[in-house]
Amino acid sequence: MSQINFYPTESSQLNEVDFNNIPFGKVFSDHMFSAVYEDGEWKDFQICPFKELTMHPSMMALHYGQSIFEGMKATVAPDGTPLLFRPEKHIERLNKSAERMCMPVFPEEVFHQAVHKLVGIDRNWIPSREGSALYLRPFMYATDKYIGVTASSTYRFLIITLPVGPYYSKPVNLKVERKYVRAVKGGVGEAKTSGNYAASLLPAKLAKAEGYDQVMWMDAHEFKYIQEVGTMNLFFVFKDKIVTPATEGAILKGITRLSIIELLKSEGHKVEERPLAIDEVKEAYKQGELVEAFGSGTAAVVANISQIKDVDIDMKFNESNWKLSSRIKSFINGVRIRKEKDRFGWIVPVKEQVSH
Ligand code: COI
């Protein structure tokens, strides 16, 4: 066990929060975890009051983009035990992102200890309503004070937490992106790195100006195969099968995506992870073979797609058919609050509940 020092806040903000009306991404809990990487090792593990950070103007993350993050969720059981959803998958993915971005991996054991302790300390910040959660944002960035393209030798790793409701409060309509690309095989599309999200902003802004919520990314070589939405992975429900694009290096390996595949396969559904051409989707839609489409992600959980617009087609999805996605969403949300049996072993109860 590593030593994690705890410095409690002197003024909790908990009473300021309206748990019936939580805007996503704007409300932060009382404490955060912090660690620094220096001289080749991670050290100075602490949980301290949530506060602003100081930085040098040449801090390398700002200039050269060595910055990665995760998004995970904590919920609460009816008996008050805080619960984590697949934390081991999140540290695994964080460290894969770190390797790709030439950053140091974070010790798994310290990560688990930090998450348990932090969530245990701020357990009263976990919303109890189904579909809501305490969103955990672990992130790492380069801190060397240096102008020059090289990997930093120092880093900071933090975990901040936010009570949240669903990321999308209504079904999502998508525009097929025909000009810009998100990622190429061999690039950084599989890493959860900040630049991937920055690159999505202009196309998303243009799509929003036309009335769409987001763009649907296509492969960067031929604009033929569907990738993801940027905030979510994608699933297409055909009459005889469910298809999700194979990640293959350019698509984020979603943990909700993985959980959905496990659930559907266990129920005997035919699930295919493979390159999915947009033409196959269009053809199935025209033939009445495409039943529904939905997105999956930690923040979004499961988001119904109401429309996919391409240059030659406007596919509309009828709410009365959103049966599979509704069931998956309610299963995942239900497992998270122990309303559904955790038959896949996704849930990890929080071990350490420090009083302060
Ligand atoms: C997540 O789903 O956790 C993400 O990081 C995506 C973002 C839309 C919040």
Side-chain angles (χ1 to χ4, degrees), residues 24 69 71 135 137 167 192 197 231 297-300:
F24 197 104
F69 67 94
Y135 184 81
R137 171 50 60 89
Y167 190 73
K192 208 158 168 64
Y197 296 80
T231 51
T298 296

Side-chain angles (χ1 to χ4, degrees), residues 148-201:
V149 182
T150 181
S152 179
S153 63
T154 61
Y155 295 86
R156 186 103 185 248
F157 175 75
L158 295 139
I159 308 175
I160 56 173
T161 80
L162 307 81
V164 297
Y167 190 73
Y168 290 112
S169 49
K170 60 175 189 53
V172 179
N173 57 358
L174 303 175
K175 185 188 156 193
V176 177
E177 180 54 54
R178 289 279 167 200
K179 179 176 176 193
Y180 298 101
V181 296
R182 177 185 174 273
V184 289
K185 280 184 198 172
V188 296
E190 216 171 76
K192 208 158 168 64
T193 184
S194 315
N196 285 336
Y197 296 80
S200 75
L201 299 176

Side-chain angles (χ1 to χ4, degrees), residues 5-209:
N5 293 321
F6 175 38
Y7 306 99
T9 183
E10 286 177 3
S11 57
S12 172
Q13 302 298 306
L14 188 58
N15 288 339
E16 310 289 311
V17 184
D18 173 4
F19 278 90
N20 293 318
N21 183 21
I22 322 170
F24 197 104
K26 293 190 176 171
V27 180
F28 303 91
S29 77
D30 284 333
H31 297 94
M32 63 187 194
F33 171 80
S34 165
V36 294
Y37 184 84
E38 263 171 20
D39 305 322
E41 61 172 340
W42 285 103
K43 53 182 137 182
D44 195 13
F45 304 129
Q46 55 172 278
I47 290 177
C48 58
F50 183 88
K51 59 176 181 239
E52 301 213 343
L53 305 167
T54 55
M55 66 181 82
H56 191 270
S58 72
M59 189 182 76
M60 289 188 77
L62 295 177
H63 301 268
Y64 308 110
Q66 272 185 303
S67 166
I68 57 171
F69 67 94
E70 269 302 309
M72 54 189 276
K73 277 179 173 168
T75 43
V76 63
D79 69 358
T81 310
L83 307 170
L84 304 167
F85 191 82
R86 311 194 83 172
E88 69 293 347
K89 293 284 173 207
H90 287 280
I91 182 61
E92 194 185 299
R93 190 173 63 180
L94 180 92
N95 280 339
K96 286 219 170 90
S97 300
E99 276 165 18
R100 178 63 185 87
M101 302 307 288
C102 205
M103 299 165 87
V105 294
F106 193 78
E108 285 192 18
E109 171 249 317
V110 185
F111 175 84
H112 290 299
Q113 225 183 304
V115 165
H116 280 255
K117 190 161 178 162
L118 181 63
V119 173
I121 288 168
D122 277 348
R123 59 191 174 279
N124 294 336
W125 284 83
I126 308 174
S128 54
R129 187 186 272 209
E130 185 168 341
S132 297
L134 188 68
Y135 184 81
L136 276 66
R137 171 50 60 89
F139 61 108
M140 188 196 296
Y141 58 94
T143 52
D144 272 8
K145 303 164 192 167
Y146 178 63
I147 295 293
V149 182
T150 181
S152 179
S153 63
T154 61
Y155 295 86
R156 186 103 185 248
F157 175 75
L158 295 139
I159 308 175
I160 56 173
T161 80
L162 307 81
V164 297
Y167 190 73
Y168 290 112
S169 49
K170 60 175 189 53
V172 179
N173 57 358
L174 303 175
K175 185 188 156 193
V176 177
E177 180 54 54
R178 289 279 167 200
K179 179 176 176 193
Y180 298 101
V181 296
R182 177 185 174 273
V184 289
K185 280 184 198 172
V188 296
E190 216 171 76
K192 208 158 168 64
T193 184
S194 315
N196 285 336
Y197 296 80
S200 75
L201 299 176
L202 175 66
K205 182 178 165 186
L206 297 173
K208 274 178 195 150

Side-chain angles (χ1 to χ4, degrees), residues 305-321:
I305 291 167
S306 50
Q307 181 188 9
I308 301 176
K309 172 80 172 77
D310 199 2
V311 277
D312 57 347
I313 196 165
D314 190 0
M315 297 183 272
K316 302 251 171 71
F317 298 93
N318 190 336
E319 193 171 344
S320 60
N321 291 334

